[in-house]
Amino acid sequence: RGFVVLVPKETVQRLTDGDLRASLVYAVDPAKVAQLKLRSKWGGPAEVVYVFERKGSEWAAIPPSPDGFAADSAKVDALVRAVSSPRAAKFVDVGSKPQYGVDVGANPEAVEVTLIPATGPATTLVLGAKADGGAVYATSSGVPGEVFTFDPAAVAGLLGKD
């Protein structure tokens, strides 16, 4: 038989007004990442690509990284861990629009981070323009087409050119 349950109005409102999607954008095991690729203009006019390859417990810069660039293994490890399971602060929109700044070619501040495992598909996270509250707009291959906000504190100091 059916039955009726009384539920507080606030509970119903949270369910109907809120976003019920899981905030975890994707999850990659950091130990299985064989390469890390960074692509950005870092505020300049030309796009620069850095590729790092795991060699045992160390990371090495490989082409097309700029000649003479040496990898800081501790920073690369920290970056891989920081972006291996990002969480969306909130989902904003579907489709890339200029105000989100998630096009690396158009936004000189945007940074594309790609985790490439030894086997299986690569996973990409693009950090774009600044959003409210210190967050940045982002997109990912983990939730194709979705734009969300991301707290960049986890990657602060790890995405510089040096």
Side-chain angles (χ1 to χ4, degrees):
R1 294 170 54 173
F3 57 93
V4 175
V5 177
L6 292 175
V7 178
K9 181 179 178 182
E10 296 80 27
T11 302
V12 173
Q13 231 170 350
R14 268 187 279 165
L15 291 172
T16 58
D17 294 346
D19 190 346
L20 300 177
R21 292 178 278 191
S23 64
L24 183 64
V25 176
Y26 61 80
V28 172
D29 181 352
K32 294 184 179 176
V33 174
Q35 287 188 349
L36 172 72
K37 179 180 172 186
L38 302 174
R39 186 171 73 101
S40 179
K41 291 183 178 181
W42 276 279
E47 186 176 286
V48 181
V49 176
Y50 294 90
V51 179
F52 304 97
E53 185 172 72
R54 188 186 305 266
K55 300 197 185 253
S57 63
E58 297 294 314
W59 289 91
I62 62 170
S65 299
D67 288 339
F69 185 82
D72 180 333
S73 287
K75 281 187 176 181
V76 176
D77 268 334
L79 181 58
V80 168
R81 283 191 311 278
V83 299
S84 65
S85 55
R87 293 198 174 273
K90 73 176 186 177
F91 288 91
V92 178
D93 204 350
V94 175
S96 174
K97 296 185 174 105
Q99 67 265 30
Y100 301 134
V102 293
D103 178 356
V104 176
N107 178 6
E109 301 300 325
V111 178
E112 179 182 270
V113 181
T114 304
L115 302 173
I116 305 165
T119 60
T123 304
T124 301
L125 175 68
V126 179
L127 305 177
K130 291 180 176 153
D132 294 335
V136 295
Y137 292 109
T139 61
S140 171
S141 60
V143 285
E146 297 275 349
V147 177
F148 54 93
T149 57
F150 175 76
D151 181 359
V155 296
L158 299 173
L159 289 174
K161 288 192 291 188
D162 31 87

